[in-house]
Amino acid sequence: MPAIAPTNLFAVAQQCLAEAVPQRKVELTRDAAAAFAARQLDRAGAVPLIPIGEPGRPSRPTLVAPRELAQRGLGSQAGRAALVHAVAHIEFNAINLAWDAVYRFRDMPDAFYADWVSVANDEARHFSLLVRRLADFGLSYGDLPAHDGLWDMARRTAHSCLERMALVPRVLEARGLDVTPGMIQRLRGVGDVATIAILEQILAEEVGHVAAGTRWFGWCCAQAGVDPGDTFEHLLQYYCRGALKGPFNRRDRLAAGFTPRELDRLDSLVA
């Protein structure tokens, strides 16, 4: 039997979002995705929309500013463990980000919810893979500090699905497309094939997640009657001025729906 109790999709999303125990969040997400695929969840009935707050998460890891995190090389086991922990933290937060998109943005097409329930399920699976890899290093999620900025963009875009789709999948998640190939290359140099296999799977699936963001950003722009390229650049300048980092993985970003014009604009913004 599924662990989820409600049959309303928004109530289930809220339940998954609020769960603080990582393994329980993974299990709830898995069961919710299965129930959604079996058409056991619907949008009937009223579910109050609560203003965005902090998502459910454990008391550890200790959250610090990104600049406070120690930089470790991948030549040591401690350095590789720190990398796996950092990526696990990103994936845990990505579960919350996907469920918040389902919960917060009502009256979207059915395909929108199908996309973000699927993304939540993927992120939960990624997190589980990384937690198992952490155990190989003798660590658990929460044993190392992590940075506290991943939920900030969710708070800042809670008022607008258009802005959320532009800035979470197409900026935060897309950054993973840029940096993961370099991680894989460095890990290949030290022979860490187990971590490489996980990161290669995550990279392949994150292209689809960013593509979902591109698709729904375009849909929202069409509904608003605005140009996607101009709107994306405006949002980058408003929210991300001085924070964008290159170089950009043009191959995977193109596969995820970015246009050559958008990528040229991104290059100009970090030049």
Side-chain angles (χ1 to χ4, degrees):
M1 290 291 292
I4 56 172
T7 59
N8 179 280
L9 175 62
F10 301 131
V12 167
Q14 184 180 21
Q15 183 183 7
C16 293
L17 188 62
E19 177 57 53
V21 177
Q23 184 56 36
R24 179 72 173 160
K25 190 185 291 284
V26 166
E27 292 169 356
L28 285 172
T29 295
R30 178 200 62 208
D31 292 345
F36 184 85
R39 301 182 182 275
Q40 295 171 354
L41 302 180
D42 58 39
R43 290 183 271 163
V47 175
L49 181 61
I50 299 171
I52 194 167
E54 291 299 311
R57 59 189 180 200
S59 59
R60 299 170 63 243
T62 301
L63 300 182
V64 299
R67 64 181 177 276
E68 296 180 35
L69 292 174
Q71 300 298 313
R72 306 181 187 185
L74 299 185
S76 68
Q77 179 169 302
R80 294 192 294 278
L83 172 67
V84 173
H85 190 277
V87 180
H89 182 63
I90 291 168
E91 297 299 316
F92 182 79
N93 278 272
I95 303 170
N96 287 328
L97 288 166
W99 279 124
D100 191 73
V102 172
Y103 171 75
R104 194 151 307 283
F105 303 117
R106 313 286 173 93
D107 300 320
M108 294 292 287
D110 290 344
F112 176 87
Y113 303 104
D115 275 343
W116 295 108
V117 170
S118 177
V119 169
N121 196 36
D122 285 350
E123 306 294 17
R125 180 164 37 78
H126 297 169
F127 176 75
S128 294
L129 289 170
L130 292 159
V131 166
R132 286 198 290 271
R133 182 60 180 141
L134 271 178
D136 295 337
F137 294 112
L139 293 176
S140 299
Y141 176 60
D143 285 349
L144 299 176
H147 72 80
D148 64 352
L150 291 169
W151 193 247
D152 180 60
M153 192 62 79
R155 285 191 292 263
R156 297 173 71 191
T157 58
H159 63 286
S160 167
C161 187
L162 185 154
E163 294 187 11
R164 175 71 66 85
M165 293 297 105
L167 296 166
V168 170
R170 304 189 89 229
V171 175
L172 297 185
E173 286 209 61
R175 184 62 184 153
L177 304 185
D178 301 332
V179 301
T180 303
M183 294 179 192
I184 291 171
Q185 184 175 4
R186 291 161 61 203
L187 290 167
R188 192 167 284 124
V190 296
D192 189 344
V193 295
T195 304
I196 288 170
I198 296 170
L199 293 183
E200 286 180 336
Q201 180 178 344
I202 290 174
L203 177 60
E205 294 181 349
E206 294 293 353
V207 171
H209 300 175
V210 178
T214 296
R215 183 161 55 252
W216 292 108
F217 172 62
W219 186 90
C220 289
C221 286
Q223 296 297 302
V226 296
D227 177 76
D230 291 341
T231 302
F232 187 55
E233 183 175 12
H234 169 75
L235 292 172
L236 289 175
Q237 292 178 337
Y238 181 80
Y239 283 99
C240 306
R241 183 181 295 274
L244 284 176
K245 297 180 181 178
F248 302 104
N249 179 346
R250 293 183 73 94
R251 184 195 67 179
D252 285 344
R253 281 180 178 256
L254 287 168
F258 280 78
T259 66
R261 180 187 177 203
E262 284 180 315
L263 293 174
D264 291 342
R265 287 179 167 183
L266 283 171
D267 285 334
S268 70
L269 288 172
V270 299

